[in-house]
Amino acid sequence: MTILVTGGAGFIGSNFVLDWLADAAAEPVVNLDALTYAGNRRNLAALEGDARHVFVHGDIGDRALLDRLLAEHRPRALVHFAAESHVDRSIHGPGAFIKTNIEGTFTLLEAARAHWNGLAGDAKAAFRFLHVSTDEVYGSLGPGEPAFTEANPCQPNSPYAASKAASDHLVRAWHHTYGLPVLTTNCSNNYGPFQFPEKLIPLVIVNALAGKPLPIYGDGMQVRDWLYVGDHCSAIRAVLARGRCGEVYNIGGWNEKPNRDIVHAICALLDELRPDAAGPRARLITHVKDRPGHDRRYAIDARKIERELGWRPRQTFETGIRRTVQWYLENAAWVAAVQSGSYRDWVATHYAARG
Ligand code: NAD
Ligand code: DAU
């Protein structure tokens, strides 16, 4: 038995593969990743020499490759993380989001359908396609509105969110029309080890350590629900093991916070763990031009996954953010390696326009 993971060299995918294989009894993983700017083999360095991990450098849009991998490894499940994932990049250039998140998911679904159709008996009954999606598909909430449930309408606002919503619709339709045994998860904002420093939390950590400005979009009162990545991974394992086919499961941390509070919390932790002689890190906070179409608030109602599958997050924000800051402090070589020329170009161009 094997599972096929897509996007397993990215932030959440690599955490998932590492956590999965931390169990000595776990099934082997075939890890298909195109190694875009966000994919990083270093995230998987701990698996060097581990025969249970087979890394394949390739694109989910490559149907011939998918067919070959499915025929060769005959996975009992497919866990689909691969995506373009950064909202700001989707505003600068939506094309890659349409290609990978929509067309790529379509190609993967078609390959999975052909593979599943070729299975029989118990193998066919046990097969699962788990699609990893986001709370951003639900749109934005007002201050007093109830948190998103699985019954909320899809109202995506950014090109990224729209491309993920489109992929969710495809997954739903492949179940409804063809009977493909799918599961969809919609999760809130993740943070933790191996997150590429274009997203708020790692960006603030690496900039603060370098004494650079900490850019807060607009008034910084946009609210997100933050979940430690290890908790997202355990939720996905629960859904894969016990989720009902065709169902959607929201995953969240019960942990809504405005961006300003997140940035201040990181500054305080860094001041404690790595004091700066120049003064408190909060002095580096800079308010910059807002993100176009910026969603004001996300909040996840994660009662369904708790009720049906018994899952709840283990980390609070306080424990999760402390682990995360400590990880970045202890992994300076990883941080230096990801700050390549293309990363520096992105930061320079994107933030120059907000100045
Ligand atoms: P990421 O950008 O860190 O990683 C994406 C990975 O996918 C990279 O390794 C990249 O190389 C790979 N990839 C991209 N295009 C590919 C293609 N065409 N073929 C094969 N591989 C390709 O993303 P992440 O933050 O780890 O997110 C993973 C998934 O979880 C995404 O589907 C995202 O929408 C979803 N999600 C993310 C969050 C979050 O807070 N980061 C929250 C909820 C859901
Ligand atoms: O909600 C789940 C989503 O969370 C995932 O689907 C996405 O893949 C993931 O990138 C994330 O999207 P966000 O846009 O919420 O994440 P980001 O880290 O880019 O931004 C978090 C908040 O911080 C958001 O309100 C924008 C703000 N922000 C972000 C950056 C990069 C800033 O104020 N300054 C910044 O420099």
Side-chain angles (χ1 to χ4, degrees), residues 37 89 196 335-349:
Y37 78 91
R89 287 188 193 250
F196 192 70
V335 172
V338 296
Q339 292 180 304
S340 63
S342 77
Y343 173 76
R344 289 196 298 274
D345 290 348
W346 160 257
V347 171
T349 320

Side-chain angles (χ1 to χ4, degrees), residues 264-282:
H264 278 284
I266 295 168
C267 289
L269 265 174
L270 284 172
D271 291 346
E272 175 200 323
L273 298 170
R274 179 83 49 95
D276 181 354
R281 274 11 183 270

Side-chain angles (χ1 to χ4, degrees), residues 59-72:
D59 197 307
I60 56 165
D62 181 345
R63 177 65 193 268
L65 172 63
L66 294 176
D67 288 346
R68 186 168 63 69
L69 289 176
L70 290 167
E72 190 180 329

Side-chain angles (χ1 to χ4, degrees), residues 46-334:
L47 298 174
E48 271 301 282
D50 188 331
R52 298 172 307 155
H53 178 239
V54 177
F55 185 81
V56 180
H57 182 191
D59 197 307
I60 56 165
D62 181 345
R63 177 65 193 268
L65 172 63
L66 294 176
D67 288 346
R68 186 168 63 69
L69 289 176
L70 290 167
E72 190 180 329
H73 298 283
R74 301 182 65 74
R76 63 108 178 154
L78 215 154
V79 186
H80 177 31
F81 294 95
E84 290 292 337
S85 71
H86 190 33
V87 173
D88 292 322
R89 287 188 193 250
S90 83
I91 296 168
H92 286 270
F97 290 71
I98 306 304
K99 188 130 203 72
T100 287
N101 300 0
I102 307 179
E103 291 175 27
T105 301
F106 161 70
T107 306
L108 197 62
L109 281 166
E110 280 294 80
R113 182 164 75 92
H115 169 67
W116 175 69
N117 276 332
L119 299 175
D122 288 349
K124 186 163 191 174
F127 184 78
R128 295 289 182 272
F129 182 109
L130 192 153
H131 174 59
V132 179
S133 192
T134 168
D135 60 358
E136 302 206 7
V137 301
Y138 297 122
S140 185
L141 293 168
E145 283 189 85
F148 302 129
T149 73
E150 292 78 0
N152 268 68
C154 229
Q155 294 181 321
N157 290 322
S158 70
Y160 162 68
S163 69
K164 291 297 289 187
S167 67
D168 293 12
H169 288 321
L170 292 176
V171 170
R172 177 189 154 88
W174 260 239
H175 175 70
H176 192 79
T177 302
Y178 304 114
L180 189 70
V182 306
L183 300 153
T184 296
T185 56
N186 292 91
C187 186
S188 59
N189 284 61
N190 284 216
Y191 65 97
F194 301 116
Q195 188 167 28
F196 192 70
E198 63 183 355
K199 309 280 169 67
L200 180 69
I201 287 182
L203 179 92
V204 166
I205 297 171
V206 305
N207 279 14
L209 285 172
K212 292 184 179 163
L214 312 179
I216 294 187
Y217 297 163
D219 64 1
M221 290 309 289
Q222 304 84 4
V223 171
R224 300 288 182 267
D225 170 78
W226 294 93
L227 180 70
Y228 186 70
V229 64
D231 281 326
H232 187 185
C233 295
S234 72
I236 291 172
R237 292 196 300 274
V239 173
L240 187 60
R242 303 187 297 283
R244 289 183 292 134
C245 285
E247 290 292 315
V248 172
Y249 293 91
N250 281 357
I251 303 170
W254 299 106
N255 180 35
E256 283 185 61
K257 287 198 189 303
N259 295 337
R260 266 173 30 175
D261 291 9
I262 299 292
V263 176
H264 278 284
I266 295 168
C267 289
L269 265 174
L270 284 172
D271 291 346
E272 175 200 323
L273 298 170
R274 179 83 49 95
D276 181 354
R281 274 11 183 270
R283 75 184 191 284
L284 300 168
I285 290 174
T286 320
H287 286 264
V288 300
K289 195 166 150 213
D290 210 350
R291 174 186 276 175
H294 199 170
D295 283 340
R296 198 67 185 162
R297 175 176 166 240
Y298 305 142
I300 279 277
D301 181 334
R303 280 178 296 180
K304 177 176 172 181
I305 189 171
E306 180 168 3
R307 195 175 56 244
E308 291 193 11
L309 308 180
W311 177 88
R312 261 191 85 81
R314 298 180 79 171
Q315 301 297 326
T316 62
F317 184 72
E318 287 64 35
T319 59
I321 195 69
R322 183 172 283 274
R323 279 171 176 238
T324 303
V325 168
Q326 269 164 342
W327 187 88
Y328 280 87
L329 288 174
E330 285 160 14
N331 288 275
W334 182 94

